[in-house]
Amino acid sequence: MSSTASVPQRRGLLLIVSSPSGAGKTTLTRLLLAEDKSMHLSISVTTRPRRGSEIDGVHYRFIDAGSFETMREKGELLESAKVHGNYYGTPAGPVEEALAAGRDVLFDIDWQGTMQIYNKMRPDIVSVFVLPPSVAELKARLERRAEDSPEIILQRLQNARVEISHWTKYDYVLVNTDLQTTYAKLKEILDVERMKRQDKSQVGQLVDTLKADLDALTRGR
Ligand SMILES: Nc1nc2c(ncn2[C@@H]2O[C@H](COP(=O)(O)OP(=O)(O)O)[C@@H](O)[C@H]2O)c(=O)[nH]1
Ligand SMILES: Nc1ncnc2c1ncn2[C@@H]1O[C@H](COP(=O)(O)OP(=O)(O)O)[C@@H](O)[C@H]1O
């Protein structure tokens, strides 16, 4: 009887997580990265000032408006958008390298960037929109995070109205009430989407082997 075929492989996927500011997408994506070392985080460039807790090159690459414009003009950004008055963009090179190496790539980007990447790579994308359970909780989280001034927090709450209206464009929506529950759901989504992308040609080989073995086992009985 022939031996079992190898475990089916699959193509890399792009996991996009978006939310209004303060809903918890950074916390969720950091949990995922800490647990799943195979996942590559796309580190965006931004013209926004660095927050106290942020490290250049780890959370973002903080660049000036001139450098941002140069990158955009040279076609080095997979997508870019103006959010809360600052520019943000995804450097294309690291994403392409990670996908070529068969790794999944995680994006913490807004709905405008998501739409741009949809247009280029839709079949490989899994998109998740994170909502807060209430406005009071969203405001409380922004205040508890204590990284932004009251003016910046107000601006982010004002922008949240438009941002949440784009939830319909996403594959999944999670309401981030309890962090661990939401995180567990995010991991379930990733597991299922990884399974959906298993290389079907290898499944086909396994099924052929199973059929041949079944024929051999049952022949003449
Ligand atoms: N389009 C796009 N949006 C981004 C990118 N990087 C971050 N963002 C989004 O910009 C918004 C502001 O991000 P940030 O300044 O870190 O604030 P936070 O949402 O309060 O953590 C969020 O909606 C991010 O998802 C990017 O490269 N492209
Ligand atoms: N489910 C949750 N319950 C309570 N606090 C949360 C929850 N998820 C995230 N937070 C907290 O809310 C604040 C904002 O979260 P963050 O991940 O920075 O949001 P975003 O990246 O969407 O702006 C952080 O202080 C974080 O620790």
Side-chain angles (χ1 to χ4, degrees):
M1 202 176 290
S2 49
S3 59
T4 329
S6 60
V7 177
Q9 302 294 304
R10 59 169 184 81
R11 295 199 298 167
L13 58 78
L14 293 81
L15 178 64
I16 299 180
V17 182
S18 301
S19 83
S21 183
K25 64 189 168 305
T26 307
T27 309
L28 288 162
T29 53
R30 298 289 150 175
L31 284 173
L32 196 57
L33 287 165
E35 196 175 327
D36 189 336
K37 301 294 178 199
S38 69
M39 185 74 100
H40 172 84
L41 174 68
S42 168
I43 299 173
S44 301
V45 291
T46 182
T47 62
R48 159 166 86 61
R50 189 176 63 81
R51 292 180 184 141
S53 67
E54 290 174 331
I55 302 165
D56 189 25
V58 174
H59 299 95
Y60 283 103
R61 265 173 59 208
F62 297 94
I63 61 175
D64 60 30
S67 306
F68 188 93
E69 201 40 50
T70 304
M71 285 185 83
R72 191 158 55 181
E73 276 169 9
K74 284 173 145 179
E76 290 174 5
L77 298 178
L78 186 60
E79 61 74 35
S80 63
K82 192 176 186 185
V83 193
H84 311 313
N86 298 299
Y87 291 98
Y88 296 81
T90 301
V95 174
E96 283 156 12
E97 278 167 32
L99 289 174
R103 295 180 71 184
D104 295 333
V105 184
L106 179 60
F107 299 81
D108 170 344
I109 60 173
D110 86 326
W111 64 272
Q112 302 174 81
T114 305
M115 296 305 108
Q116 292 169 46
I117 303 186
Y118 270 179
N119 290 335
K120 297 178 183 173
M121 316 167 102
R122 187 64 183 103
D124 299 324
I125 294 172
V126 179
S127 61
V128 180
F129 199 87
V130 180
L131 285 171
S134 68
V135 168
E137 178 60 18
L138 184 66
K139 182 168 177 283
R141 285 183 193 171
L142 284 169
E143 287 167 354
R144 272 202 302 271
R145 188 168 70 183
E147 297 261 23
D148 300 310
S149 66
E151 295 74 36
I152 297 279
I153 289 179
L154 178 63
Q155 183 195 36
R156 280 157 190 268
L157 289 170
Q158 283 166 340
N159 292 345
R161 196 178 192 290
V162 169
E163 285 169 351
I164 60 173
S165 67
H166 293 282
W167 70 273
T168 52
K169 301 177 175 86
Y170 284 72
D171 300 323
Y172 298 92
V173 179
L174 297 176
V175 180
N176 182 19
T177 306
D178 173 68
L179 181 62
Q180 288 309 325
T181 307
T182 312
Y183 177 56
K185 287 182 183 158
L186 182 63
K187 279 200 300 182
E188 272 176 44
I189 290 169
L190 186 56
D191 283 347
V192 167
E193 292 290 345
R194 280 174 168 167
M195 265 194 272
K196 273 165 71 175
R197 286 167 172 77
Q198 279 177 353
D199 185 342
K200 300 293 192 296
S201 66
Q202 291 198 28
V203 176
Q205 283 170 25
L206 172 60
V207 170
D208 287 345
T209 306
L210 292 172
K211 281 180 182 170
D213 288 352
L214 284 167
D215 288 347
L217 191 71
T218 57
R219 194 171 300 131
R221 296 200 182 193

